[in-house]
Amino acid sequence: MSATPVAPLPDGVDPAWLPPSALRALGARRVRVSGEGPLVATVRGEVAAATAEHGGSLVTEGPVDLALVCAPGDPDGEAFVVRRDGTTTSVTATGGAGLLHGLHHVVRLGEAAFSGRWEPRRHAPRRAIRMLDHWDNVDVHPVMGQVERGYAGGSIFYADGAVRADLGRVAAYARLLGSIGINRVCLNNVNVHRTEARLLTDLLPDVVRLAGVFRPQGVRVHLSVSFAAPMTLGGLPTTDPLDRGVQEWWASTTAAVYAAIPDFGGYVVKADSEGQPGPFASGRDHADGANLLARALAPFGGTVFWRAFVYDHRQDWRDRSTDRARAAHDHFTPLDGGFDENVVLQVKFGPVDFQVREPVSPVVAAMPRTRLAVEFQVTQEYTGQQKHVCYLVPQWSEVLGFRPHGDGDAVAEIAHGVVAVSNVGDDPFWTGHPLAQANLFGFGRLAWDDRLAPEAVLDEWIGLTFADPAVRAPLHEVMDGSWLTYERCTAPLGVGFMVRPGHHYGPDVDGYEYTQWGTYHFADRDGVGVDRTRATGTGFTGQYPAPWRDLYESVRTCPDELLLFFHHVPYGHVLRSGTTVIQHVYDTHFAGHEEVARTARTWGALRGRVPDRTFDRVTELLAEQLRCATEWRDQVNTYFWRKSGVPDERGRRIW
Ligand code: GCW
């Protein structure tokens, strides 16, 4: 009856949503854990620690309050059944992973797991692929730092040019991920630099150590690989996917990985994108490229996650015929049906780049014969960089619930997986902003079940994280609507960007307007927005099936929040809401600023109710958020007032 002790939290590190208090209800009970295997040992370790802390006991016989039973059946099963008979609650699963998920289900229920009568219920994840990608570099990159788009310090995996000797922090992270049902992690940046490429070869023994830390939590590890590796690491003269030597190199390299890590998950590839090498160099397409790696992985059950983020990043802003939003669909839909079974095409949720508001990528509906994963950013590159409160679960929930064909399946049902870029670093709070922990938690919960309501997910997070029930209502006030507040403060009506090029923080209305990146708003004295219609624009609306192709095409039916993504309209254009575009810009920026000010006041009342250092950190960051909201308000309003000459009808101060 083995038990794996719970990894101790390194000194000074915040317990996130698993402080000892979160396990109080379970820890006060008599609990039995039956079954064997590494994940059952993890469950037993959790129960041993919780009962030792809270006065209950881990027993092997006699009556119990909670029975956690790993029964014969599919050992890889992730589902569990929870029931209550008389005074005993039981969780039954056929696999260790299912039992671990069941344990954490009970933890989330708290006292409710041990009272009342309820019907037995089976819980199963809505999809098998629930993954976090880390954009961590081994070395500190001169421009991007150690974690690309990381806002929580350095990497928890790497330090001083190598995998850390002490993986205690990683063990604590793995436990957090296991508790929310994340089952795959990619360990390095999709932009694969020189040292990081070697994780696949001579640095592999260190990857073995990392895999060993994630395994007891049911998480398989992946590596981002460079498509050029046969040349850069293997010394071959080509990377051509149809070349025998290249195929053999990938086959033998991959076999060596599996010899060391039998449950290795597979590869993640960013190819022919933003300077990363890919199959285009040999005149091949992305199916050739993806299948090359898929065939190397297939004998071992591995998967290649091939990113669809392919576009021209050296565009001429004068060229109105190229539309970055079109790129993924243009490149990939002709290849539908050409990808091997173990390829997952990883598609960013929107057609451009993780903006606060974008339509759902048309690729999702257009590749029925390809396995797809939808990619989100938990890291807040464009949503406040973990300096601002921005609870993103409502955004992800909306995307996953979107029905590309009007009726029929939602994105959540079409996609085989959901993947997100992690927001974690070596910051004591894990995520820089303590409240950004809710995004990490929420991503896992939504990946498991996209039908969960964002407020309910937040409620779970609050209940686990904070011992004082009085914080619940104010925290909902601070967080529930924070994504929409963020949208009001920043680029209006789906037009996107308006951030400072490079670091992407703070307002800079024209920052990207004359760049090569393909992200423009086209504001002039008469109007603003990008014409992506079939009638007069780039034709992007035509990438959607009915009804959206027509709903987006017409200014009368296009949803307000996406109007400027699809249309260039005069400032006086009247939105479906009844206000003009220009007045909407003013109103939302004044409102967003006021909402941030109110948030700061609501938070201020929590002093003494949350841990002091959490209180202080959030308070400090809210001051920065308010400063930034002021800057956004004044720059955006002033910019559009100067362009349009239309005054605010309420006469508020514009500069
Ligand atoms: O959002 C953009 C980021 C890049 C990132 C790229 C990608 C890893 O600005 O930093 O590179 O997307 O998703 O590949």
Side-chain angles (χ1 to χ4, degrees):
M1 293 262 206
S2 51
T4 304
V6 174
L9 204 58
D11 277 352
V13 174
D14 189 74
W17 56 84
L18 290 178
S21 61
L23 288 91
R24 186 186 298 128
L26 175 135
R29 262 58 195 201
R30 277 175 68 86
V31 186
R32 185 178 64 237
V33 181
S34 331
E36 279 307 328
L39 274 79
V40 179
T42 302
V43 170
R44 207 172 269 120
E46 287 285 351
V47 172
T51 50
E53 170 92 23
H54 297 292
S57 48
L58 172 61
V59 299
T60 51
E61 50 190 25
V64 291
D65 306 301
L66 175 64
L68 297 160
V69 182
C70 195
D74 172 14
D76 296 324
E78 293 195 301
F80 60 91
V81 175
V82 53
R83 55 164 55 86
R84 191 154 164 80
D85 303 303
T87 59
T88 304
T89 301
S90 66
V91 173
T92 320
T94 61
L99 199 68
L100 183 67
H101 302 322
L103 167 87
H104 287 288
H105 176 79
V106 169
V107 170
R108 283 190 294 272
L109 286 175
E111 282 302 326
F114 303 100
S115 60
R117 308 193 60 81
W118 21 271
E119 291 298 304
R121 194 167 158 205
R122 179 173 186 273
H123 296 262
R126 289 257 286 170
R127 60 197 57 75
I129 296 169
R130 307 180 302 276
M131 178 161 177
L132 281 167
D133 284 358
H134 281 260
W135 288 353
D136 293 26
N137 301 312
V138 178
D139 295 326
V140 179
H141 185 271
V143 180
M144 288 298 171
Q146 190 174 27
V147 181
E148 180 155 348
R149 310 307 179 185
Y151 309 103
S155 170
I156 59 170
F157 304 140
Y158 315 109
D160 307 320
V163 173
R164 288 173 185 268
D166 177 358
L167 295 180
R169 186 77 192 258
V170 180
Y173 179 55
R175 177 175 180 242
L176 290 171
L177 298 194
S179 78
I180 52 175
I182 295 294
N183 60 3
R184 294 168 183 261
V185 134
C186 183
L187 299 171
N188 64 303
N189 190 358
V190 289
N191 291 328
V192 183
H193 308 291
R194 193 192 289 267
T195 306
E196 294 72 16
R198 291 168 39 217
L199 290 167
L200 184 62
T201 52
D202 59 305
L203 299 181
L204 188 62
D206 283 331
V207 181
V208 173
R209 289 199 298 124
L210 284 165
V213 172
F214 280 106
R215 188 171 296 118
Q217 301 293 340
V219 183
R220 297 168 78 180
V221 302
H222 297 246
L223 289 175
S224 291
V225 296
S226 164
F227 199 76
M231 280 172 85
T232 52
L233 299 174
L236 299 185
T238 173
T239 62
D240 185 348
L242 302 192
D243 179 89
R244 275 292 285 278
V246 170
Q247 293 167 356
E248 277 159 19
W249 188 86
W250 279 111
S252 62
T253 303
T254 304
V257 173
Y258 277 90
I261 310 171
D263 58 353
F264 182 69
Y267 299 139
V268 177
V269 190
K270 172 177 178 177
D272 291 317
S273 168
E274 300 184 334
Q276 292 298 300
F280 288 165
S282 346
R284 310 297 180 191
D285 66 28
H286 280 262
D288 296 325
N291 292 343
L292 166 71
L293 300 178
R295 284 166 202 173
L297 290 159
F300 311 99
T303 303
V304 56
F305 291 81
W306 191 269
R307 295 179 84 230
F309 183 59
V310 177
Y311 70 101
D312 178 3
H313 72 290
R314 298 221 174 89
Q315 199 182 316
D316 182 346
W317 59 268
R318 299 167 192 83
D319 161 22
R320 296 293 287 262
S321 67
T322 306
D323 178 4
R324 173 166 166 181
R326 295 187 55 115
H329 188 283
D330 283 345
H331 280 294
F332 285 94
T333 56
L335 304 176
D336 189 30
F339 291 100
D340 284 6
E341 278 265 310
N342 60 332
V343 176
V344 171
L345 190 67
Q346 187 167 316
V347 185
K348 288 193 182 186
F349 79 83
V352 181
D353 199 10
F354 300 131
Q355 299 302 289
V356 68
R357 178 73 70 173
E358 286 187 47
V360 170
S361 168
V363 175
V364 176
M367 300 192 65
R369 290 179 295 158
T370 306
R371 287 167 21 116
L372 299 176
V374 178
E375 183 177 334
F376 297 107
Q377 254 190 348
V378 183
T379 196
Q380 291 170 239
E381 176 176 0
Y382 296 101
T383 51
Q385 305 202 346
Q386 282 138 257
K387 289 188 168 67
H388 304 175
V389 186
C390 188
Y391 178 56
L392 287 164
V393 174
Q395 182 192 42
W396 308 331
S397 165
E398 210 172 284
V399 169
L400 292 169
F402 178 76
R403 296 183 191 277
H405 298 278
D407 47 19
D409 284 347
V411 171
E413 281 121 26
I414 297 169
H416 283 78
V418 290
V419 180
V421 186
S422 176
N423 62 350
V424 157
D426 68 0
D427 171 80
F429 285 100
W430 299 94
T431 53
H433 201 303
L435 302 183
Q437 291 174 1
N439 284 330
L440 185 64
F441 176 87
F443 172 73
R445 297 291 292 131
L446 218 56
W448 175 277
D449 187 354
D450 46 274
R451 296 164 303 192
L452 294 170
E455 306 78 44
V457 170
L458 185 60
D459 211 56
E460 288 180 353
W461 177 78
I462 295 170
L464 292 169
T465 305
F466 299 102
D468 182 348
V471 305
R472 202 175 282 271
L475 273 173
H476 275 288
E477 246 173 73
V478 164
M479 296 173 74
D480 280 339
S482 54
W483 167 51
L484 295 179
T485 295
Y486 200 77
E487 180 181 29
R488 285 181 199 110
C489 287
T490 56
L493 299 165
V495 79
F497 285 85
M498 301 192 172
V499 291
R500 189 60 59 92
H503 60 55
H504 297 167
Y505 187 69
D508 186 345
V509 179
D510 275 339
Y512 271 100
E513 203 55 19
Y514 305 101
T515 68
Q516 61 183 21
W517 295 95
T519 50
Y520 315 119
H521 55 66
F522 300 118
D524 60 20
R525 64 177 188 174
D526 300 317
V528 57
V530 191
D531 185 352
R532 294 191 159 109
T533 62
R534 305 192 283 293
T536 51
T538 68
F540 171 70
T541 57
Q543 293 186 340
Y544 289 89
W548 295 105
R549 53 188 291 116
D550 301 318
L551 291 171
Y552 290 148
E553 176 76 9
S554 157
V555 282
R556 285 193 319 282
T557 51
C558 182
D560 281 352
E561 68 274 13
L562 291 170
L563 186 72
L564 302 183
F565 191 95
F566 286 105
H567 296 276
H568 186 91
V569 296
Y571 292 115
H573 173 84
V574 178
L575 294 166
R576 288 151 62 98
S577 69
T579 14
T580 61
V581 165
I582 189 73
Q583 194 56 41
H584 174 94
V585 169
Y586 299 149
D587 288 349
T588 49
H589 285 83
F590 283 113
H593 180 270
E594 278 165 27
E595 286 159 23
V596 175
R598 198 177 323 128
T599 294
R601 289 195 296 277
T602 308
W603 176 261
L606 290 173
R607 184 191 294 282
R609 296 204 170 271
V610 298
D612 285 344
R613 64 178 195 153
T614 307
F615 181 82
D616 293 344
R617 173 75 76 96
V618 174
T619 303
E620 208 175 278
L621 290 170
L622 279 166
E624 165 59 12
Q625 183 168 359
L626 190 60
R627 183 199 68 75
C628 219
T630 309
E631 215 49 55
W632 273 100
R633 179 195 65 191
D634 292 343
Q635 289 197 29
V636 172
N637 286 346
T638 302
Y639 179 94
F640 283 104
W641 181 60
R642 290 181 184 173
K643 280 264 170 191
S644 69
V646 182
D648 172 30
E649 60 186 28
R650 292 176 52 193
R652 287 164 292 193
R653 176 129 206 214
I654 296 178
W655 298 81

